[in-house]
Structures are given as C-alpha cells and as structure tokens.
Amino acid sequence: MLQAGAEIDSSETLTERQQAVLDAALRLLVEEGDSLTMTAVARRASCSKETLYKWFGDRDGLLTATVQWQASKVRVAPVDRKGLDIASLTASLERFASDWLKVISSDTSIALNRVAVGHAGSGKDDLGAIVLQNGRFALARRLKPVLEAGREAGLLDFADAETAFRTFFGLVARDVQMRLLLGDRLELTEATIGGDAARATQQFLALHGANNRPLRPQSRMISGQVDLKSESGSKSKR
C-alpha cells in the first residue's frame, strides 16, 4: 500500500537506553544551555563518555541526535493515497499541528532553540544549522508528501508544496514560538492546543481546499481599457 508521511524517525531506530541518554541531554540544555558537555551528559545519564562517543560520535553528533529525538515527537499520520478523503487528511494535519505546538511549547524546545539562536553565526558550533536541518526542514520533508497526496486526490489546490507547507506552518505557529522564546508565559493547555490545531487546519483548508477556490473575474478589452465582469454577470449599460 502506498502511503505518504511514513518517513522513519529517530524514535524507531534508537534503543530505550539511547532515548534516555538524549532525554538527559535535553534536560541539561534546559539547565545549563551553552555549557553542555559530553562529560556532563555522561554523568547525568549514568553512562561512560566512551559509550557516548560510540553512539553519537562527537558533541555535534550528540546535539544532532538530540534535535532529531525532539523533532520525532511531531508525528505525521500516514495516509493512504488511494483512499484519502477529507476526513483522513484533516486528521493528519490536525495531529501534526497539535504535536508541533506541544513540542515547541515545552521547556526543552525553548531552551534548545534559545541556544541555537545564540550560536547562529557565532562560529561556536553548527547547532543553528543542526536545528534547521533536523527540525523545521525535517518536518517539511515529512508533511509535504501528505500535502501532495491531498492534491493528487483532488482535495487540495496549490502550485508549490514548499509554499503550501510554509502557509500551514505559519497558521499553526502564529506568534507562539517567538513569544515563548522571549519569555512570555503562555499557558498552552491540551484543550488550547487542540483548538489551535483544529483552527489552523480549517484555515489552511479554506485557503487551499480544492472546493474553496475564489471566483476569478473575467476580463475583456474595451477601447484599450480592461473591463472586469464577474462570473455572475453585470448589468448592461443603457
């Protein structure tokens, strides 16, 4: 069966012990930010540095795995391309939106993104690029096949999948992530997140739903000027 959105994420390839180590690294990022070291992670996770180097390589490898582990919590429900309908498409989009809002509002993601922004362009390490490639760009790679499947099924109408993804991403995020990064204490409850996810999905479908395309005015040239006439007709001149 052909499915969209079935990209394998790190949660399917990591052992429970490795996941626990990455959770420890995330907690340290919240507590210590820039000062995260392999030694500190090994101590917090009760494992040896040699084990960390064996599993993840160097510090950048550990940071990459940590970002991938965090991003894997944003799930994209696979859809059957042959049997896709508006209900299953809506459910997949709402699940993505809900998971993403939960992840970006967590203390670990806020801390991780603050460190990444602080390092961007500083030459300290490539954490900014790591977060982009394994966070936002990875999420796009997961969701675009679902959007394209919706277009193939005649449910969505858009010219470019990247542009459509950015539109949906913007409707979900709004100003939430920026406010959180700047210290605003937003209270995102399960009910709030669920409502925001459903609202963003409906707004996206209103923009890109194949049955919601706006009427385009017809045009014709009269004496060198464009005369616009709506499809519903216009009153004739007397």
Side-chain angles (χ1 to χ4, degrees):
M1 179 183 295
L2 294 176
Q3 292 184 324
E7 177 181 295
I8 296 175
D9 59 48
S10 59
S11 64
E12 297 177 345
T13 59
L14 295 169
T15 66
E16 289 186 7
R17 181 62 178 134
Q18 290 170 330
Q19 292 175 11
V21 169
L22 295 179
D23 282 335
L26 285 169
R27 289 193 296 272
L28 280 171
L29 277 171
V30 174
E31 298 169 11
E32 303 181 10
D34 283 5
S35 58
L36 178 73
T37 64
M38 300 290 272
T39 300
V41 173
R43 186 181 303 114
R44 176 62 67 90
S46 300
C47 68
S48 67
K49 287 174 62 177
E50 289 73 17
T51 298
L52 291 182
Y53 285 114
K54 177 182 178 181
W55 284 347
F56 308 112
D58 56 11
R59 183 174 182 271
D60 277 359
L62 174 63
L63 288 172
T64 298
T66 301
V67 175
Q68 290 175 338
W69 172 230
Q70 187 72 347
S72 72
K73 298 169 186 176
V74 183
R75 300 157 296 175
V76 180
V79 295
D80 180 5
R81 288 182 180 271
K82 293 182 179 180
L84 183 63
D85 57 20
I86 193 62
S88 56
L89 176 63
T90 299
S92 184
L93 293 177
E94 285 187 5
R95 176 175 175 176
F96 174 93
S98 178
D99 283 354
W100 192 70
L101 285 171
K102 290 176 184 176
V103 168
I104 66 169
S105 62
S106 67
D107 289 342
T108 51
S109 281
I110 294 170
L112 181 61
N113 280 291
R114 282 175 176 162
V115 174
V117 170
H119 282 204
S122 68
K124 290 183 180 179
D125 54 37
D126 295 326
L127 184 57
I130 290 171
V131 170
L132 273 176
Q133 290 297 329
N134 298 281
R136 186 268 185 226
F137 293 156
L139 296 179
R141 289 193 297 272
R142 289 186 214 161
L143 190 63
K144 283 181 188 178
V146 174
L147 298 179
E148 290 167 344
R151 181 172 59 182
E152 291 172 7
L155 303 173
L156 296 176
D157 179 34
F158 57 84
D160 177 69
E162 171 64 17
T163 301
F165 172 80
R166 291 176 65 186
T167 298
F168 182 60
F169 212 61
L171 291 170
V172 175
R174 295 166 292 131
D175 63 346
V176 171
Q177 190 169 38
M178 180 62 69
R179 290 172 63 183
L180 290 170
L181 290 174
L182 293 175
D184 195 351
R185 296 183 178 277
L186 292 174
E187 293 187 10
L188 297 181
T189 64
E190 287 279 346
T192 300
I193 288 174
D196 287 346
R199 187 179 305 109
T201 299
Q202 290 305 313
Q203 290 170 341
F204 179 76
L205 293 175
L207 288 171
H208 288 291
N211 294 325
N212 295 324
R213 287 173 290 189
L215 295 177
R216 297 179 180 177
Q218 296 177 335
S219 65
R220 57 190 177 89
M221 297 297 296
I222 299 180
S223 302
Q225 296 181 341
V226 177
D227 178 35
L228 296 179
K229 183 174 68 174
S230 67
E231 292 183 14
S232 61
S234 63
K235 294 181 179 180
S236 62
K237 294 182 180 180
R238 297 190 178 186

